[in-house]
């Protein structure tokens, strides 16, 4: 086993001569988050599992606070891992922040990625609340059409996004709204700096208590649910100072400008209800990625649907793994 493989607890399953799938977990989890998906892959694919540096299962002495101050550090890890395993091309399945990490890595080495499957992905969290419209410049009066659309936006879409009340209107109507407004939308959903400062302070002052509060919000359930308990376990396994650094890196990152350079086909998979990544973000990714992309919004709750709703998510992931985007 190579140095990178050992550091990241790499497991390679399935036939060596089959196409390679790399499964990359998000913040607060480890490779065990893929436990419902892996059994469906190992007969037909070479499956690569690994733990991101900083996960509770990795050696904390290997965590370089400077290297992992940006997501590029994680992207370099992915590229080093693929090189050590002699992977010539792979389907990269990234959850949350790892979807963005995969996108960064693909910009450097697009030849290594046949497609990226993004689950609950967002290119930025450090943003003001609400949405901005790409209207005329301040020096140019708004057209009648723009004013009508702005009124429509204020009446219909802002309440939907701000309240995240996805049951208030029909799912198909919601998608039609997003498609209708997408040419005028400028992505600015997320957390303002005051929110982030409070989050980081809570993590630093009492990490265990923060985990207990954050886990059910992220997963979308109560503390008695198996998925919440599993996420709580892996989240709490992280060393608190490392968890804080990883959280700061993720929540203060902004990779919107990178999207146009991502030319690898991307399959965007999103929960209908996700406190961290509202459904509008999936449409933003679709509109701004540089290559072919496709969006599927699932009728699932929470930021970790592969853990909380495997019966829904696994068939969706298998379909996107097996089939390419029709051009």
């Amino acid at each position: 086993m190579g140095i990178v493989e050992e550091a990241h607890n790499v497991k390679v399953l399935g036939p060596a001569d089959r196409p390679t799938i790399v499964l990359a977990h998000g913040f607060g989890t480890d490779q065990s988050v893929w436990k419902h998906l892996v059994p469906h892959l190992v007969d037909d694919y070479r499956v690569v599992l690994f733990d991101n540096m900083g996960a509770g299962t990795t050696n904390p002495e290997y965590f370089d606070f400077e290297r992992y101050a940006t997501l590029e550090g994680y992207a370099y890890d992915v590229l080093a891992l693929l090189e050590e395993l002699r992977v010539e091309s792979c389907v990269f399945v990234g959850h949350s922040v790892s979807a963005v990490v995969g996108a960064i890595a693909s910009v450097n080495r697009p030849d290594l990625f046949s497609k990226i499957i993004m689950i609950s992905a967002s290119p930025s969290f450090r943003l003001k609340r609400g949405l901005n419209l790409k209207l005329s410049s301040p020096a140019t009066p708004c057209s009648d059409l723009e004013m009508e659309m702005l009124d429509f936006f204020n009446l219909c879409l802002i309440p939907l996004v701000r309240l995240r009340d996805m049951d208030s209107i029909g799912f198909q109507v919601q998608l039609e709204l997003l498609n209708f407004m997408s040419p005028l939308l400028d992505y600015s959903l997320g957390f303002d700096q005051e929110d982030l400062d409070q989050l980081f302070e809570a993590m630093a002052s009492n990490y265990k208590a923060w985990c207990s509060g954050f886990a059910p919000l992220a997963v979308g359930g109560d503390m008695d649910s198996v998925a919440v308990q599993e996420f709580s376990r892996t989240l709490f396994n992280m060393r608190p100072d490392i968890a804080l650094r990883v959280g700061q890196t993720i929540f203060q990152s902004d990779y919107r400008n990178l999207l146009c350079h991502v030319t690898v086909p991307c399959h965007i998979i999103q929960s209908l209800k996700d406190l961290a990544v509202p459904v509008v973000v999936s449409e933003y990714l679709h509109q701004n990625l540089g290559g072919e992309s496709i969006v599927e919004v699932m009728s699932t709750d929470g930021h970790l649907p592969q853990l909380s709703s495997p019966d829904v998510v696994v068939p969706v992931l298998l379909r996107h793994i097996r089939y390419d985007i029709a051009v």
Side-chain angles (χ1 to χ4, degrees), residues 55-210:
T57 47
T58 60
N59 186 340
E61 298 304 315
Y62 293 163
F63 188 85
D64 185 327
F65 282 79
E66 183 175 348
R67 176 184 177 89
Y68 299 111
T70 68
L71 298 187
E72 280 79 1
Y74 297 94
Y76 295 146
D77 286 350
V78 168
L79 294 176
L81 177 61
L82 296 180
E83 180 179 356
E84 194 165 279
L85 293 175
R86 298 181 180 179
V87 174
E88 296 181 355
S89 180
C90 74
V91 173
F92 187 90
V93 182
H95 172 242
S96 191
V97 64
S98 281
V100 180
V101 168
I104 297 170
S106 77
V107 171
N108 286 274
R109 289 290 307 275
D111 57 300
L112 295 178
F113 300 84
S114 61
K115 72 173 78 169
I116 299 174
I117 298 178
M118 300 177 161
I119 309 169
S120 308
S122 177
S124 181
F125 291 95
R126 188 183 181 184
L127 302 161
K128 294 180 181 179
R129 296 184 185 281
L131 288 167
N132 293 329
L133 280 175
K134 294 177 180 175
L135 298 177
S136 304
S137 66
T140 305
C142 291
S143 67
D144 291 341
L145 174 61
E146 286 177 336
M147 290 304 299
E148 290 177 7
M149 296 189 80
L150 182 58
D151 290 340
F152 174 80
F153 175 79
N154 286 327
L155 288 171
C156 299
L157 197 53
I158 282 181
L160 167 67
V161 175
R162 283 185 177 170
L163 297 177
R164 295 187 173 98
D165 182 11
M166 300 308 180
D167 291 329
S168 63
I169 62 174
F171 175 50
Q172 187 60 41
V173 174
Q174 179 193 156
L175 291 183
E176 290 175 0
L177 277 173
L178 293 177
N179 289 330
F180 178 63
M181 296 298 296
S182 61
L184 298 178
L185 292 180
D186 180 18
Y187 177 81
S188 49
L189 273 168
F191 305 96
D192 57 34
Q193 192 57 48
E194 184 178 356
D195 292 332
L196 294 177
D197 290 342
Q198 291 176 0
L199 183 148
F200 300 146
E201 182 180 353
M203 293 179 72
S205 62
N206 190 332
Y207 182 64
K208 184 175 182 180
W210 178 82

Side-chain angles (χ1 to χ4, degrees), residues 33-65:
V33 78
W34 303 112
K35 62 184 180 181
H36 299 294
L37 176 62
V38 171
H40 299 274
L41 298 176
V42 291
D43 289 340
D44 300 315
Y45 298 95
R46 181 192 186 205
V47 181
V48 176
L49 294 157
F50 72 100
D51 296 327
N52 283 322
M53 196 55 61
T57 47
T58 60
N59 186 340
E61 298 304 315
Y62 293 163
F63 188 85
D64 185 327
F65 282 79

Side-chain angles (χ1 to χ4, degrees), residues 215-289:
L217 289 175
V219 176
D222 55 44
M223 285 302 295
D224 294 330
S225 78
V226 174
V228 171
Q229 290 179 8
E230 177 65 14
F231 181 51
S232 298
R233 178 188 67 79
T234 56
L235 189 62
F236 188 63
N237 279 347
M238 296 181 72
R239 205 172 78 182
D241 58 332
I242 291 176
L244 178 59
R245 164 57 82 190
V246 176
Q248 290 170 332
T249 298
I250 294 170
F251 289 113
Q252 297 190 122
S253 294
D254 186 347
Y255 287 92
R256 287 172 294 170
N257 291 337
L258 176 89
L259 297 179
C260 63
H261 302 290
V262 179
T263 58
V264 171
C266 292
H267 298 237
I268 304 159
I269 313 299
Q270 173 71 37
S271 283
L272 182 57
K273 296 182 182 180
D274 183 342
L275 182 66
V277 182
V279 70
V280 69
V281 179
S282 61
E283 181 61 24
Y284 178 85
L285 288 169
H286 178 53
Q287 294 291 334
N288 288 275
L289 285 163

